[in-house]
Amino acid sequence: MTPVPEIAIIGAGAAGCFCAAVLAEALPGKTSITIYESGKKPLAKVAVTGGGRCNLTNSFRDISIEKAYPRGATLMKRLMRGFSNDDACRWFTSHGVELLTQEDQCVFPVSQDAMQIVNTLLGVLKAHRVKIVTGAAVKKIEPGFRLLFDGAPAARADYVAVTAGGLSSGGMLGLFDGLDLKIQKPVPSLFTFKTDSPIKELTGAVTESVMVSLEGTRFSAAGPLLITDWGFSGPAVLKLSSYGARLLAENGYKATLAVNWMYGETEQELRGWLEDKAASAPQKNISNIHPQKLTSRLWIFLLNKAGIKENIKFATLNAKMTSRLCATLLHDCYTITGRARFKDEFVTCGGIDLGEVSASTLEARKYPGLYFAGEVLDIDAITGGFNLQAAWTTGYTVAGSIGRALKKE
């Protein structure tokens, strides 16, 4: 009897498990698939993503692929023609997962439970007898696809798919020692900003629509902003950290953050609002009436920062005060002193250089039979379900590529 081809998948995350599930369903009983996972559990990161609810993709109605993927957008645009966000939704729906698209266009399971996604994938793998070996850290891939482990016998495979997540540790980088592969240096993405500014005293304050930018760069992002006891968080900051990930790393996470608290409004409109209050409530303290976008505490903080006393009347606002206040509201700067990790949803910028793989198959150009999917590639995204979509799309691509290669044998 001819032995079935051995397929090794390194990493039991979203990309690895999805790749195995798609391949096993496409070629039932015709392959032997083993997933090697260094951690204790498969899909551990999926279980906590989206605050434990699993934001598994996005509708892409309000954003382009180019804006969603700071790195890898061109490749993602091509690959999503073969497996899009709609295809991902159809796959999970066909496997019994009801989905809900929120107003912000993020897609979640109706159950609001990430474990439904985890159990769905694990159910497919179990049904098709895909082996998952946990606590098995592959230390090196040798030519000929011999996999070396610490404290365990070596294994071999006919095809290898590396889906091991971000290459954030030296050990992961060592996986490719001996292989001629260009790797873009991995650095953190999706993180919040630390500052020494007294604004931290407003912990918990949320502004729903601001524009944040890194001074002296082209990087900017809009969305809600959260003030924390260490500095700045929220979707706007997380997006900005993704756009500027490599530049921020190069500068030791020291930068100047500019905040437009009145994003969407012009200086002329802001001056008009102040003039209207001066006319309609001239004897009201300026601290008692604030723009709808701002909380009372934040308004008072910004007044003080603009050098305006809380107890002055609207009628006494002069031209210089108005100019200072408008400047503060529209371009308020803070010194960033470092980064803070974004809970467990840690993403890295960098990985296998995209020039090393075929754009249509994700097979290594120099090593036929070696494939890459997921965050191990130099592809990463902002928050909103886009990183998981990259995992589904690249995992599906690799599964299809291996399947076609097997059919040719």
Side-chain angles (χ1 to χ4, degrees), residues 145-169:
F145 304 145
R146 186 167 177 264
L147 310 182
L148 303 184
F149 303 84
D150 264 352
R156 69 161 302 279
D158 299 295
Y159 297 88
V160 174
V162 181
T163 63
L167 302 178
S168 55
S169 68

Side-chain angles (χ1 to χ4, degrees), residues 20 26 42 56 80 82 89 121 127 142 154 178 189 212 226 230 257 348 358 385 387 399 405:
L56 60 88
M80 284 181 67
C89 290
L121 288 168
E142 292 186 334
S189 183
V212 291
L226 168 66
W230 64 84
L257 177 73
T348 54
S358 162
N387 282 296

Side-chain angles (χ1 to χ4, degrees), residues 189-195 226 228 230-235 237-239 241-242 248 253 336-343:
S189 183
L190 292 186
F191 48 84
T192 58
F193 296 158
K194 293 180 179 179
T195 183
L226 168 66
T228 69
W230 64 84
F232 299 99
S233 185
V237 167
L238 292 169
K239 281 192 281 186
S241 77
S242 182
L248 286 164
Y253 301 100
I336 301 305
T337 59
R339 68 175 178 87
R341 184 168 170 171
F342 179 44
K343 299 182 180 179

Side-chain angles (χ1 to χ4, degrees), residues 272-305:
W273 181 84
L274 292 169
E275 289 170 2
D276 177 68
K277 297 307 173 189
S280 62
Q283 296 308 309
K284 284 279 189 179
N285 284 352
I286 193 170
S287 61
N288 290 339
I289 302 177
H290 57 83
Q292 191 175 2
K293 289 185 176 184
L294 307 178
T295 65
S296 176
R297 288 195 305 155
L298 180 56
W299 174 240
I300 292 171
F301 175 86
L302 295 172
L303 287 174
N304 290 330
K305 194 171 183 186

